[in-house]
Amino acid sequence: RHAPVWHVILMLVLLFGHMPAQAAASDSAEQQSLEYKVKAAFLLNFTKFIEWPASEASHSGSPFNICILGSDPFGLALDQIVQGETVDGRKLVVERIQREGLKSCQILYLGKSEKDVREILSVRVQGLLTVGEGESFIRDGGMIAFVIENRRVRFYVNLGAARSAALQLSSKLLSVAKSVAN
C-alpha cells in the first residue's frame, strides 16, 4: 500500500526543513549552494500545497512560472529541480525576469539585490505568491520568507498577504512554517 502523494510531499518538506542549510565543508560557496538547493526544493514543494485562484487554474496550456526578480542565488539548482515537474497539468518553468514580466508569474522570488521590495509588494497581483529572504520581507508584505535558524532553512508565512492575492495555503504547509502571521 502506497502513502498518499501529499504524505510523501509533506515528508520532503519536513526533511528539507530540518536539513542543514550549511554543510560542514569549509568552502562557503558550497555552503551557499546547499542552502539554495534546499530553498529550490521548498519552492517546488510550495506549488503542491497552495491552491491558486480558479482563473489561474484555467490556463492549462500555459506554463506555471516560478520567476526570479533581482539577483539569482539558485544558479541551475532551481531549473534542475523543476525539470519535468507539473502543477495542475501545467509544465513548471523558471524565468529570470524584469519588473514588466510579473504578470506571467505564479511564484515570484525576490532576490536580495532587489532594492524596491516594498514598492513591488505593494502591488497585489491575484494568484501571485511572493517569496523572499528574512523577517523584513514578511513585514514589507511578502507572503513567504526564508530564514536560517540554527543552520537550517526555515520559512515564515504572511497568511493575510497570501489571502489578499486569493491564494489558499494548505494547513499542512502552515504546520511546518516557523511562524504564521495573519
Side-chain angles (χ1 to χ4, degrees):
R1 193 167 174 259
H2 296 291
V5 171
W6 69 265
H7 275 130
V8 173
I9 295 169
L10 182 59
M11 291 305 295
L12 287 173
V13 169
L14 289 170
L15 171 67
F16 285 121
H18 291 87
M19 204 172 156
Q22 300 175 341
S26 59
D27 184 12
S28 65
E30 284 182 39
Q31 293 171 356
Q32 184 174 8
S33 175
L34 178 57
E35 174 184 334
Y36 282 95
K37 285 179 183 176
V38 171
K39 290 177 180 179
F42 269 119
L43 286 174
L44 172 62
N45 284 310
F46 291 158
T47 68
K48 314 288 191 224
F49 291 97
I50 295 174
E51 186 177 316
W52 270 261
S55 62
E56 194 54 49
S58 68
H59 295 108
S60 61
S62 63
F64 185 100
N65 295 317
I66 297 177
C67 300
I68 300 169
L69 180 63
S71 62
D72 179 0
F74 297 98
L76 293 177
L78 185 56
D79 298 270
Q80 290 169 343
I81 202 160
V82 304
Q83 189 172 13
E85 296 288 338
T86 61
V87 175
D88 295 327
R90 297 167 64 185
K91 181 181 178 184
L92 209 52
V93 175
V94 178
E95 287 190 22
R96 280 89 180 156
I97 63 164
Q98 302 296 317
R99 282 198 191 179
E100 54 275 1
L102 286 176
K103 291 190 183 355
S104 69
C105 305
Q106 286 68 49
I107 296 178
L108 174 64
Y109 175 85
L110 289 158
K112 291 180 182 179
S113 69
E114 189 53 46
K115 296 184 184 348
D116 300 321
V117 170
R118 281 188 181 176
E119 179 185 326
I120 293 166
L121 294 174
S122 70
V123 179
R124 288 282 178 235
V125 177
Q126 294 296 295
L128 177 64
L129 177 73
T130 56
V131 181
E133 303 278 340
E135 292 178 53
S136 63
F137 186 76
I138 294 292
R139 287 192 299 273
D140 289 343
M143 297 172 198
I144 297 179
F146 291 121
V147 294
I148 303 297
E149 181 181 273
N150 297 324
R151 298 181 347 152
R152 300 183 192 298
V153 176
R154 304 294 305 267
F155 62 93
Y156 292 171
V157 173
N158 180 336
L159 196 53
R163 286 182 180 147
S164 72
L167 299 172
Q168 286 294 125
L169 279 63
S170 160
S171 61
K172 294 168 188 70
L173 177 65
L174 297 175
S175 71
V176 295
K178 172 69 179 153
S179 171
V180 177
N182 289 312

